[in-house]
Amino acid sequence: YNAIQQSKLAVEQSQLEVEKNRNNIRISIIQAFLAVMMNEDLLEYQQKVVVSSREQMQQGAQQFQVGQILESDYKMLQAQYISDSLNVNNTRLNIQNNFLSLKQLLSIEPSREISIIKPDSATLFKNLEMPSLEEMMNNAQSYLPELKISENDITDANYNVKIQRANYVPKFQKGCGLLRPIIKLLSFSF
C-alpha cells in the first residue's frame, strides 16, 4: 500500500515540477522585460549626461586655449566625456542582450524586431489594491508549486519510513518451513 501511495506521490511531484519550471520561465520573462525597461531608462539618463559632458569638454577646450585651465584639467574633461560615451555604448549593448534574452524566452527569432511598451505607472498604481496577508499566503500556496513539493517531500519521507519499517516486521507465509529441520533430523540415518 505504501509503495503504491509513494508512486502516486511521485507522479504528483512530477506534475508540480513541470508547473514550477513554467513559473520559473514566467519569472525569467518578467525579469528580462524589466531589465530592458530599466536599461532604456538608464540610456535616456546617460545620453543627457553625455550631452552635458560634451558641453563641459567644449568649454574646457576654449578655457584651455586662452590659458584659464591647465592641460591636465582639460584632459580630465576629455576623459570624462569618453567615459560617459562608453557608458552609453555599454547600455545599448545591454539593451540588445536583454532583448535577445527576452526573444529566447518567448521563442521568437533573434532577427525579428520587437519593442517594449511601458505600462502607465500612474494608472497602474492608482488601481492597485494591496491584498491582506492571509490572502497573499493563500495565493502563494495556490500559485507556488514549490510549497506543495516541499509538503510532498515530507510525505514521501514518511512513506519511506513506513516501507523500511515493514522490512523489519516478520513475514509469515503458508508452509513457512518450521518442519524442515525436524524432517531432516528424522531422515538422518545412523
Side-chain angles (χ1 to χ4, degrees), residues 19-68:
E19 188 59 34
K20 176 183 167 187
N21 290 335
R22 284 185 185 144
N23 284 347
N24 288 339
I25 291 171
R26 288 180 189 122
I27 290 169
S28 295
I29 290 170
I30 292 169
Q31 287 174 333
F33 173 78
L34 292 174
V36 168
M37 285 185 12
M38 179 194 70
N39 281 319
E40 285 180 344
D41 288 343
L42 180 62
L43 181 63
E44 286 179 34
Y45 166 75
Q46 287 177 336
Q47 287 172 332
K48 291 175 185 174
V49 170
V50 165
V51 169
S52 175
S53 272
R54 183 182 312 122
E55 290 172 0
Q56 287 178 355
M57 184 183 70
Q58 290 169 348
Q59 288 175 357
Q62 292 171 355
Q63 291 173 344
F64 174 65
Q65 288 175 351
V66 294
Q68 288 180 336

Coordinates of all heavy atoms in Angstrom, one line a residue, residues 19-68:
E19 N 5.1 22.5 -13.4 CA 4.5 23.8 -13.1 C 5.5 24.7 -12.5 O 5.5 25.9 -12.8 CB 3.3 23.6 -12.1 CG 2.5 24.9 -11.9 CD 1.9 25.5 -13.1 OE1 1.5 24.7 -14.1 OE2 1.8 26.7 -13.2
K20 N 6.4 24.2 -11.7 CA 7.5 25.0 -11.1 C 8.4 25.6 -12.2 O 8.7 26.7 -12.2 CB 8.3 24.2 -10.1 CG 9.5 24.9 -9.5 CD 10.3 23.9 -8.7 CE 11.6 24.5 -8.3 NZ 12.5 23.6 -7.6
N21 N 8.7 24.7 -13.2 CA 9.5 25.2 -14.3 C 8.8 26.2 -15.2 O 9.4 27.2 -15.6 CB 9.9 24.0 -15.2 CG 10.9 23.1 -14.5 OD1 11.6 23.5 -13.6 ND2 10.9 21.8 -14.9
R22 N 7.5 26.1 -15.3 CA 6.7 27.1 -16.0 C 6.7 28.4 -15.3 O 6.9 29.5 -15.9 CB 5.2 26.6 -16.2 CG 5.0 25.6 -17.2 CD 3.5 25.3 -17.4 NE 3.3 24.2 -18.3 CZ 2.4 23.3 -18.2 NH1 1.6 23.3 -17.2 NH2 2.3 22.3 -19.1
N23 N 6.6 28.4 -14.0 CA 6.7 29.6 -13.2 C 8.0 30.2 -13.3 O 8.2 31.4 -13.4 CB 6.3 29.3 -11.7 CG 4.9 29.1 -11.5 OD1 4.0 29.4 -12.3 ND2 4.5 28.6 -10.3
N24 N 9.1 29.4 -13.3 CA 10.4 29.9 -13.4 C 10.6 30.6 -14.8 O 11.3 31.7 -14.9 CB 11.5 28.9 -13.3 CG 11.6 28.4 -11.8 OD1 11.2 29.1 -10.9 ND2 12.1 27.2 -11.6
I25 N 10.0 30.1 -15.8 CA 10.1 30.7 -17.2 C 9.4 32.0 -17.1 O 9.8 33.0 -17.7 CB 9.6 29.8 -18.3 CG1 10.6 28.6 -18.4 CG2 9.4 30.5 -19.6 CD1 10.0 27.5 -19.3
R26 N 8.2 32.0 -16.5 CA 7.4 33.3 -16.4 C 8.2 34.4 -15.7 O 8.3 35.5 -16.1 CB 6.1 33.1 -15.7 CG 5.1 32.3 -16.5 CD 3.8 32.0 -15.7 NE 2.9 31.1 -16.3 CZ 2.5 30.0 -15.8 NH1 2.8 29.6 -14.6 NH2 1.7 29.2 -16.5
I27 N 8.9 34.0 -14.6 CA 9.7 34.9 -13.8 C 10.8 35.4 -14.6 O 11.2 36.6 -14.6 CB 10.2 34.2 -12.5 CG1 9.0 34.0 -11.5 CG2 11.3 35.1 -11.8 CD1 9.3 33.2 -10.4
S28 N 11.5 34.5 -15.4 CA 12.6 35.0 -16.3 C 12.1 35.9 -17.3 O 12.8 36.9 -17.7 CB 13.2 33.7 -16.9 OG 13.8 32.9 -16.0
I29 N 10.9 35.7 -17.9 CA 10.4 36.7 -18.9 C 10.2 38.0 -18.3 O 10.5 39.1 -18.8 CB 9.1 36.1 -19.5 CG1 9.4 34.9 -20.4 CG2 8.4 37.2 -20.3 CD1 8.2 34.1 -20.9
I30 N 9.6 38.0 -17.1 CA 9.3 39.3 -16.4 C 10.7 40.0 -16.1 O 10.8 41.2 -16.3 CB 8.5 39.1 -15.1 CG1 7.1 38.6 -15.5 CG2 8.5 40.3 -14.2 CD1 6.3 38.1 -14.3
Q31 N 11.7 39.2 -15.6 CA 13.0 39.8 -15.3 C 13.6 40.4 -16.6 O 14.2 41.5 -16.5 CB 13.9 38.8 -14.7 CG 13.5 38.5 -13.3 CD 14.4 37.3 -12.7 OE1 14.9 36.5 -13.4 NE2 14.5 37.3 -11.4
A32 N 13.5 39.7 -17.7 CA 14.1 40.2 -18.9 C 13.4 41.5 -19.4 O 14.0 42.5 -19.8 CB 14.0 39.2 -20.0
F33 N 12.0 41.5 -19.3 CA 11.2 42.7 -19.6 C 11.6 43.9 -18.8 O 11.8 45.0 -19.3 CB 9.7 42.3 -19.4 CG 8.8 43.5 -19.6 CD1 8.5 44.0 -20.9 CD2 8.3 44.1 -18.5 CE1 7.6 45.0 -21.0 CE2 7.4 45.2 -18.6 CZ 7.1 45.7 -19.9
L34 N 11.7 43.6 -17.5 CA 12.1 44.7 -16.5 C 13.5 45.2 -16.8 O 13.8 46.4 -16.7 CB 11.9 44.3 -15.1 CG 10.5 44.1 -14.6 CD1 10.5 43.5 -13.2 CD2 9.7 45.3 -14.7
A35 N 14.4 44.3 -17.2 CA 15.8 44.7 -17.5 C 15.9 45.6 -18.7 O 16.6 46.6 -18.7 CB 16.7 43.4 -17.7
V36 N 15.1 45.3 -19.7 CA 15.0 46.1 -20.9 C 14.5 47.5 -20.5 O 15.1 48.5 -20.9 CB 14.1 45.5 -22.0 CG1 13.8 46.5 -23.1 CG2 14.8 44.2 -22.6
M37 N 13.4 47.5 -19.8 CA 12.9 48.8 -19.4 C 13.9 49.7 -18.5 O 14.0 50.9 -18.7 CB 11.6 48.7 -18.6 CG 10.4 48.3 -19.5 SD 8.8 48.2 -18.6 CE 8.9 48.9 -17.1
M38 N 14.5 49.0 -17.6 CA 15.5 49.7 -16.7 C 16.6 50.2 -17.5 O 17.1 51.4 -17.4 CB 16.0 48.7 -15.7 CG 17.0 49.3 -14.7 SD 17.9 48.1 -13.8 CE 18.9 47.3 -15.0
N39 N 17.2 49.4 -18.5 CA 18.3 49.9 -19.3 C 17.9 51.0 -20.3 O 18.7 51.8 -20.6 CB 19.0 48.7 -20.0 CG 19.9 47.9 -19.1 OD1 20.6 48.5 -18.3 ND2 19.8 46.6 -19.2
E40 N 16.6 50.9 -20.7 CA 16.2 52.0 -21.6 C 16.1 53.3 -20.8 O 16.5 54.4 -21.3 CB 14.9 51.7 -22.3 CG 15.0 50.7 -23.4 CD 13.7 50.3 -24.0 OE1 12.6 50.6 -23.5 OE2 13.7 49.7 -25.1
D41 N 15.6 53.3 -19.6 CA 15.6 54.5 -18.7 C 17.0 54.9 -18.4 O 17.3 56.1 -18.5 CB 14.9 54.2 -17.4 CG 13.4 54.1 -17.6 OD1 12.9 54.5 -18.7 OD2 12.7 53.5 -16.7
L42 N 17.9 54.0 -18.2 CA 19.3 54.3 -17.9 C 19.9 55.0 -19.1 O 20.7 56.0 -19.0 CB 20.1 53.1 -17.5 CG 21.6 53.3 -17.2 CD1 21.8 54.2 -16.0 CD2 22.2 51.9 -16.9
L43 N 19.6 54.5 -20.3 CA 20.2 55.1 -21.5 C 19.7 56.5 -21.7 O 20.6 57.4 -22.1 CB 19.7 54.2 -22.8 CG 20.3 54.7 -24.1 CD1 21.8 54.6 -24.2 CD2 19.7 53.8 -25.2
E44 N 18.5 56.8 -21.4 CA 18.0 58.2 -21.5 C 18.8 59.1 -20.6 O 19.2 60.2 -21.0 CB 16.5 58.3 -21.2 CG 15.6 57.7 -22.2 CD 14.1 57.8 -21.7 OE1 13.8 58.8 -21.0 OE2 13.3 56.9 -22.1
Y45 N 19.0 58.6 -19.4 CA 19.8 59.4 -18.5 C 21.2 59.6 -18.9 O 21.8 60.7 -18.9 CB 19.7 58.8 -17.1 CG 20.7 59.3 -16.1 CD1 20.5 60.6 -15.5 CD2 21.9 58.6 -15.8 CE1 21.5 61.1 -14.6 CE2 22.9 59.2 -14.9 CZ 22.6 60.4 -14.4 OH 23.6 60.9 -13.5
Q46 N 21.8 58.5 -19.4 CA 23.2 58.6 -19.8 C 23.4 59.5 -21.0 O 24.5 60.1 -21.2 CB 23.8 57.2 -20.0 CG 24.0 56.4 -18.8 CD 24.5 55.0 -19.0 OE1 24.2 54.4 -20.1 NE2 25.1 54.4 -18.0
Q47 N 22.5 59.5 -21.9 CA 22.6 60.4 -23.1 C 22.5 61.8 -22.7 O 23.2 62.7 -23.2 CB 21.4 60.1 -24.1 CG 21.6 58.7 -24.8 CD 20.5 58.3 -25.6 OE1 19.3 58.7 -25.4 NE2 20.7 57.5 -26.7
K48 N 21.8 62.2 -21.6 CA 21.8 63.5 -21.1 C 23.1 63.9 -20.5 O 23.6 65.0 -20.6 CB 20.6 63.7 -20.1 CG 19.3 63.7 -20.8 CD 18.1 63.8 -19.7 CE 16.8 63.6 -20.4 NZ 15.7 63.5 -19.4
V49 N 23.7 62.9 -19.8 CA 25.0 63.1 -19.2 C 26.1 63.3 -20.2 O 26.9 64.2 -20.1 CB 25.4 61.9 -18.3 CG1 26.8 61.9 -17.8 CG2 24.4 61.8 -17.1
V50 N 26.0 62.6 -21.4 CA 27.0 62.7 -22.4 C 26.9 64.1 -23.0 O 27.9 64.8 -23.3 CB 26.8 61.6 -23.5 CG1 27.5 62.0 -24.8 CG2 27.3 60.3 -23.0
V51 N 25.6 64.6 -23.2 CA 25.5 66.0 -23.8 C 26.1 67.0 -22.8 O 26.8 67.9 -23.3 CB 24.0 66.3 -24.0 CG1 23.7 67.8 -24.3 CG2 23.4 65.4 -25.1
S52 N 25.9 66.8 -21.5 CA 26.5 67.7 -20.5 C 28.0 67.6 -20.5 O 28.7 68.6 -20.5 CB 25.9 67.4 -19.2 OG 26.6 68.2 -18.2
S53 N 28.5 66.4 -20.6 CA 30.0 66.2 -20.7 C 30.6 66.8 -21.9 O 31.7 67.4 -21.8 CB 30.3 64.7 -20.7 OG 30.4 64.2 -19.4
R54 N 29.9 66.7 -23.0 CA 30.4 67.3 -24.3 C 30.5 68.8 -24.2 O 31.5 69.4 -24.6 CB 29.5 66.9 -25.5 CG 30.1 67.4 -26.8 CD 29.2 67.1 -28.0 NE 28.8 65.7 -28.1 CZ 27.5 65.3 -28.1 NH1 26.5 66.2 -28.0 NH2 27.2 64.1 -28.2
E55 N 29.5 69.4 -23.6 CA 29.5 70.8 -23.4 C 30.6 71.3 -22.5 O 31.3 72.3 -22.7 CB 28.1 71.3 -22.9 CG 27.0 71.2 -23.9 CD 25.6 71.5 -23.3 OE1 25.5 71.8 -22.0 OE2 24.6 71.4 -24.0
Q56 N 30.8 70.5 -21.4 CA 31.9 70.8 -20.4 C 33.2 70.7 -21.1 O 34.1 71.5 -20.9 CB 31.8 69.9 -19.2 CG 30.7 70.2 -18.3 CD 30.7 69.3 -17.1 OE1 31.4 68.3 -17.0 NE2 29.8 69.5 -16.2
M57 N 33.4 69.7 -22.0 CA 34.6 69.5 -22.7 C 34.9 70.6 -23.7 O 36.0 71.1 -23.8 CB 34.6 68.1 -23.4 CG 36.0 67.8 -24.1 SD 35.9 66.3 -25.0 CE 34.9 66.7 -26.4
Q58 N 33.8 71.0 -24.4 CA 34.0 72.1 -25.3 C 34.3 73.5 -24.6 O 35.2 74.2 -25.1 CB 32.7 72.3 -26.2 CG 32.5 71.2 -27.1 CD 31.1 71.2 -27.8 OE1 30.2 71.9 -27.3 NE2 30.9 70.3 -28.8
Q59 N 33.7 73.7 -23.5 CA 34.0 74.9 -22.7 C 35.4 74.8 -22.2 O 36.2 75.8 -22.2 CB 33.0 75.1 -21.5 CG 31.7 75.5 -21.9 CD 30.7 75.5 -20.7 OE1 31.1 75.1 -19.6 NE2 29.5 76.0 -21.0
G60 N 35.8 73.6 -21.8 CA 37.2 73.4 -21.3 C 38.2 73.6 -22.4 O 39.3 74.1 -22.1
A61 N 37.9 73.2 -23.6 CA 38.8 73.5 -24.7 C 39.0 75.0 -24.9 O 40.2 75.4 -25.2 CB 38.2 72.8 -26.0
Q62 N 37.9 75.7 -24.9 CA 38.0 77.2 -25.0 C 38.9 77.8 -23.9 O 39.7 78.6 -24.1 CB 36.7 77.8 -25.1 CG 35.9 77.5 -26.3 CD 34.4 77.9 -26.2 OE1 34.0 78.5 -25.2 NE2 33.7 77.7 -27.3
Q63 N 38.6 77.3 -22.7 CA 39.3 77.8 -21.5 C 40.8 77.4 -21.6 O 41.7 78.2 -21.2 CB 38.7 77.3 -20.2 CG 37.3 77.9 -19.9 CD 36.7 77.2 -18.7 OE1 37.1 76.2 -18.3 NE2 35.6 77.9 -18.2
F64 N 41.1 76.3 -22.1 CA 42.5 75.8 -22.2 C 43.2 76.7 -23.2 O 44.4 77.0 -23.0 CB 42.5 74.3 -22.6 CG 43.9 73.8 -22.9 CD1 44.9 73.8 -21.9 CD2 44.2 73.4 -24.1 CE1 46.2 73.3 -22.1 CE2 45.5 72.9 -24.4 CZ 46.5 72.9 -23.4
Q65 N 42.5 77.0 -24.3 CA 43.2 77.8 -25.4 C 43.5 79.2 -24.9 O 44.5 79.7 -25.4 CB 42.2 77.9 -26.6 CG 42.2 76.6 -27.4 CD 41.1 76.6 -28.5 OE1 40.4 77.6 -28.7 NE2 41.1 75.6 -29.4
V66 N 42.7 79.7 -24.0 CA 43.1 81.1 -23.5 C 43.9 81.1 -22.2 O 44.2 82.1 -21.7 CB 41.8 81.9 -23.4 CG1 41.1 82.2 -24.7 CG2 40.8 81.3 -22.3
G67 N 44.2 79.8 -21.7 CA 45.0 79.7 -20.6 C 44.3 79.8 -19.2 O 45.0 80.0 -18.2
Q68 N 43.0 79.6 -19.2 CA 42.3 79.7 -17.9 C 42.4 78.4 -17.1 O 42.2 78.4 -15.9 CB 40.8 80.0 -18.2 CG 40.6 81.4 -18.6 CD 39.1 81.7 -18.8 OE1 38.3 80.8 -19.0 NE2 38.7 83.0 -18.7

